[in-house]
Amino acid sequence: MAILVDTDTRLVVQGLTGSEGKFHGLRNRAYGTQLVAGVTPGKGGQDVEGVPVFDTVVAAVTETGANTSMIFVPAPFAADAIYEALDAGIAIVICITEGVPAHEMLRIHAYLRTRDATMIGPNCPGVLSPEKANVGIIPAEIFREGSVGLVSRSGTLTYQIGHELTQLGLGNSTIVGIGGDPVVGASFVEVLARFEADPQTEHVVMVGEIGGDEEEKAASFIESEMSKPVVAYIAGFTAPPGKTMGHAGAIISGSAGTAQAKKDALEERGVRVGTTPTEAAELVAALARA
Amino acid sequence: MDLYEFQGKELFRRHGIPVSEGRLAMNPAQAREAAQQLGCPVVVKAQVLTGGRGKAGGIKVADSPADADARARDILGMDIGGHVVHKVWIERASEIAREYYLSLTFDRGAKKPLFMFTRQGGIDIEEVAASSPEALVRFHVDPLEGYHPWQGRRLVYAAGVEDPGEQKQIASIAGKLFDVFLACEAMLCEINPLIVTPQGEVRALDSKFTVDDNALFRHADLAEMRDLEAGDPLERLAREKGVTYVKLDGEVGVLGNGAGLTMSTVDVVTFVGGRPANFCDLGGGGDAQGVVDALSVITRDPQVRSIFFNIFGGITRGDEVARGILQALSQMSIEDPIVVRLDGTNAEEGRRLLQDAAPPNLHVEATMLDGARRAVELAA
């Protein structure tokens, strides 16, 4: 099983002819992902190492049966690309692009509620289901196939924790980077719900950071809706208020959104929280051995 | 990006929200001239990107142009919460009968713009929310439906504004505030206080305005408002070099790749008993020049006693980072000990490069935790 991407994924890359889109699209294909199409307006009819390029997403869907899109277009055009993918009936939209304006994301988030589709990102490393499919920029060699679901707001921190899990002999069902922006498509709760329903996933690691209240919402969801054990890690305990820590979403305003508040909310609802990535990985290993 | 009061008010004015007439002054002579043109009494207000100006003595009334000159002299150069005052805003003094509060926030939790309005203005809004939450009216706007005039009416009636003239003016200001919020792609537009004069006229007496950095590419006029002189000098230098850097107050310089991992590294340094000097994110690329740039910023902080590189290669390649470190060491004289932890893409090659070159002040550690411990020891 696994979630979001697997052997049934038929991937179209919006922006396949750009340097990053090409590099990562082909890298995903080399991993085993079914890369069926690219979209670049004005370049329809061309191909990128045998992958056909179309002018529109709807043409790519009609011709190739693409069901998942990875977006690599520059930030000023990313929102348009997301709407185009949704309109073409793409079920899973994964937007890697960094720097999408927050107001665009408010409208996209509201629009998503009217569609039967899931969006991951923007400003995210993508989704990897080890041994099945990789869609995005996650370095797959760090991860092994297994039963731990991993969901995170951060890219490299995900790699760190994945690496620690691998060192402890644990593998992953799926690794989902939901992105570090203030408003993203799928939240922790949506991904947790998918892990809960996935037979391959037995434990879940949730990697949060300062800012917003998605970890708190996840805490309530875990308590009321999840049977599988969840371990959390939160970054930014020592971040000063009012400063953006690299991610647009990682800023504390007032007392809300601190790492401590998130840790408290999670622990009150029975979720174990590691204070370092190493400790979080060890907590999962202890659960897996039990 | 936060805007100064005078910039926010200018945006308010352009969108039809009433503000007092004013002038910007960079020195006492300009303050005097402004007071002359505006007519006294005037208010001299420090322009800084932080709160608490009034309590710090950064807002003063002046009765004459000479008085405005003297007040400006007092205020310019003042340090308010670490922000030095380089300019003052001179505006005609307002008579105040009542003080309200009106704001529009980007509510990331609800994923909708949020109006907040209360008749208890002029004080900290968190205080109102804590002490009399019933007095604070909150109302979300659907991002797809946008603003409709009934929403402004709902705010004023729910808050219990009784005067029909005030009701009309405030409801209209709410609509204009939504216009400016949308047009500027703001994260926050706050008017505190929104005053009512004895003549019944409603006006914005202050402005707190934050715009989305990610949207600046399509707002050249807002992008130009960035004050390149404001903020910490090291943070400024970092911005010029394209390095994400936040100054902290300790001795261990922290450099990571990716915001989450870097934040986590800062935490881990603290947990093992150290004090981080900064947060510095190399970003996704992390080529040799990026490393050199980041090191040049970090080492300019005199408090730094050791440097911890925590790199997990994804797109960033470990060998590139190692080359960058060696290049920086050959270009600059760095005496502080440097602890390096490399993992991920091309990490082995990176570690080999470092071990072959073996500069005396370089220490390679196998894990993030060991690296943090070592860097903290070396800073002691």
Side-chain angles (χ1 to χ4, degrees):
Chain A
M1 281 294 281
I3 66 167
L4 296 163
V5 303
D6 55 29
T7 49
D8 294 330
T9 295
R10 296 180 64 79
L11 181 66
V12 51
V13 176
Q14 291 174 258
L16 183 67
T17 57
S19 64
E20 298 230 344
K22 181 179 172 185
F23 178 79
H24 292 287
L26 294 176
R27 204 165 142 267
N28 288 168
R29 182 173 72 169
Y31 186 76
T33 312
Q34 293 187 66
L35 173 61
V36 296
V39 170
T40 302
K43 296 196 175 171
Q46 300 182 7
D47 77 280
V48 172
E49 305 210 359
V51 182
V53 176
F54 298 88
D55 288 317
T56 63
V57 179
V58 73
V61 169
T62 311
E63 296 294 321
T64 69
N67 56 18
T68 301
S69 166
M70 171 161 76
I71 294 177
F72 255 111
V73 308
F77 316 109
D80 186 42
I82 293 166
Y83 285 119
E84 187 185 355
L86 292 171
D87 184 72
I90 294 284
I92 310 275
V93 179
I94 298 171
C95 182
I96 310 296
T97 307
E98 183 179 348
V100 179
H103 278 242
E104 293 282 11
M105 279 311 302
L106 277 190
R107 287 184 288 269
I108 287 169
H109 193 275
Y111 180 67
L112 271 168
R113 284 177 313 194
T114 70
R115 313 293 299 189
D116 188 18
T118 299
M119 181 188 158
I120 303 293
N123 190 14
C124 80
V127 183
L128 164 67
S129 297
E131 305 303 323
K132 299 181 185 73
N134 190 8
V135 178
I137 63 176
I138 297 176
E141 59 279 7
I142 302 164
F143 299 92
R144 299 283 169 274
E145 189 177 25
S147 61
V148 180
L150 178 53
V151 56
S152 170
R153 273 168 72 185
S154 146
T156 43
L157 189 50
T158 314
Y159 313 159
Q160 172 69 34
I161 290 179
H163 175 71
E164 306 243 14
L165 291 172
T166 309
Q167 304 290 96
L168 293 169
L170 294 169
N172 296 100
S173 51
T174 302
I175 298 98
V176 186
I178 59 172
D181 281 354
V183 178
V184 292
S187 62
F188 279 128
V189 168
E190 285 176 70
V191 178
L192 289 172
R194 282 180 183 261
F195 278 134
E196 175 70 12
D198 171 42
Q200 187 185 337
T201 304
E202 289 169 22
H203 306 90
V204 180
V205 181
M206 179 176 96
V207 182
E209 61 188 32
I210 52 167
D213 63 353
E214 295 302 330
E215 290 82 0
E216 286 86 338
K217 286 177 184 160
S220 304
F221 178 82
I222 293 164
E223 184 183 41
S224 62
E225 307 289 335
M226 284 192 76
S227 61
K228 297 177 183 175
V230 180
V231 168
Y233 172 74
I234 308 289
F237 275 91
T238 51
K243 294 266 192 183
T244 307
M245 296 302 258
H247 280 160
I251 181 168
I252 312 172
S253 38
S255 61
T258 61
Q260 191 60 46
K262 291 175 190 298
K263 183 175 192 268
D264 292 347
L266 287 159
E267 285 181 340
E268 272 166 29
R269 289 168 180 82
V271 179
R272 273 150 287 203
V273 182
T275 41
T276 63
T278 312
E279 196 192 338
E282 282 164 356
L283 284 170
V284 187
L287 284 173
R289 280 193 295 265
Chain B
M1 178 177 83
D2 295 332
L3 301 181
Y4 287 110
E5 174 196 4
F6 74 92
Q7 295 169 325
K9 280 181 167 171
E10 169 58 21
L11 294 171
F12 286 167
R13 195 189 56 76
R14 282 189 214 162
H15 286 264
I17 297 170
V19 290
S20 303
E21 206 193 332
R23 304 266 189 284
L24 191 67
M26 315 293 281
N27 55 51
Q30 286 177 356
R32 175 193 290 260
E33 196 189 323
Q36 213 132 34
Q37 289 168 355
L38 293 165
C40 288
V42 293
V43 186
V44 182
K45 303 179 85 175
Q47 297 297 292
V48 279
L49 297 174
T50 183
R53 288 177 302 170
K55 279 182 197 143
I59 301 176
K60 289 276 158 57
V61 179
D63 295 322
S64 67
D67 200 17
D69 184 305
R71 297 287 82 78
R73 212 171 281 276
D74 296 342
I75 294 171
L76 286 163
M78 193 181 255
D79 185 309
I80 301 179
H83 297 251
V84 179
V85 184
H86 294 295
K87 37 189 163 292
V88 288
W89 177 244
I90 317 289
E91 76 175 21
R92 193 172 294 150
S94 300
E95 284 183 86
I96 301 171
R98 281 179 287 284
E99 294 185 308
Y100 297 158
Y101 169 102
L102 176 67
S103 72
L104 194 52
T105 314
F106 187 101
D107 183 348
R108 56 188 286 180
K111 293 164 183 73
K112 289 171 180 174
L114 169 67
F115 269 115
M116 287 198 276
F117 178 66
T118 173
R119 287 188 296 144
Q120 301 180 19
I123 52 169
D124 196 6
I125 192 63
E126 273 89 27
E127 242 171 79
V128 179
S131 63
S132 39
E134 72 292 342
L136 183 63
V137 181
R138 297 155 181 267
F139 185 85
H140 282 107
V141 180
D142 187 291
L144 294 184
E145 285 172 31
Y147 179 83
H148 298 282
W150 66 266
Q151 295 162 347
R153 296 197 295 274
R154 168 133 165 208
L155 287 175
V156 294
Y157 288 114
V161 175
E162 280 169 3
D163 180 85
E166 284 180 27
Q167 289 171 350
K168 238 190 184 142
Q169 291 177 74
I170 296 167
S172 153
I173 289 172
K176 287 163 180 163
L177 195 65
F178 192 84
D179 290 345
V180 72
F181 181 81
L182 211 61
C184 298
E185 303 196 59
M187 304 304 282
L188 170 70
C189 292
E190 183 184 80
I191 307 174
N192 189 23
L194 179 71
I195 60 155
V196 186
T197 66
Q199 294 73 38
E201 192 198 324
V202 180
R203 213 188 296 151
L205 206 64
D206 198 356
S207 134
K208 236 188 222 161
F209 210 116
T210 308
V211 293
D212 177 12
D213 284 9
N214 281 348
L216 288 178
F217 70 86
R218 55 187 176 196
H219 300 282
D221 54 332
L222 298 178
E224 274 175 21
M225 287 185 177
R226 187 187 290 281
D227 184 353
L228 298 172
E229 304 298 306
D232 183 89
L234 279 174
E235 294 186 9
R236 240 161 38 216
L237 176 73
R239 200 161 47 230
E240 283 161 22
K241 291 188 180 283
V243 174
T244 310
Y245 175 92
V246 178
K247 174 92 179 73
L248 302 170
D249 201 28
E251 297 81 31
V252 182
V254 172
L255 206 157
N257 64 320
L261 182 63
T262 312
M263 239 187 290
S264 173
T265 310
V266 167
D267 285 350
V268 170
V269 164
T270 309
F271 289 143
V272 299
R275 298 200 317 151
N278 64 272
F279 164 101
C280 185
D281 175 11
L282 271 183
D287 57 6
Q289 188 55 44
V291 176
V292 172
D293 286 344
L295 266 178
S296 71
V297 175
I298 292 174
T299 52
R300 202 151 316 183
D301 175 359
Q303 269 182 272
V304 168
R305 297 236 289 272
S306 73
I307 298 165
F308 179 28
F309 266 77
N310 188 22
I311 304 297
F312 206 108
I315 305 181
T316 307
R317 290 161 42 200
D319 57 325
E320 271 281 323
V321 172
R323 281 194 193 91
I325 295 170
L326 294 173
Q327 193 182 322
L329 284 174
S330 69
Q331 283 175 12
M332 316 156 55
S333 63
I334 300 177
E335 279 156 26
D336 298 319
I338 300 177
V339 179
V340 182
R341 177 272 175 144
L342 284 177
D343 250 316
T345 312
N346 294 1
E348 263 175 55
E349 197 187 330
R351 283 194 293 262
R352 197 166 44 241
L353 284 170
L354 294 175
Q355 270 147 11
D356 289 350
N361 58 337
L362 196 85
H363 310 261
V364 179
E365 289 290 342
T367 69
M368 174 167 170
L369 214 49
D370 289 342
R373 288 199 183 105
R374 192 69 184 270
V376 170
E377 271 168 34
L378 290 167

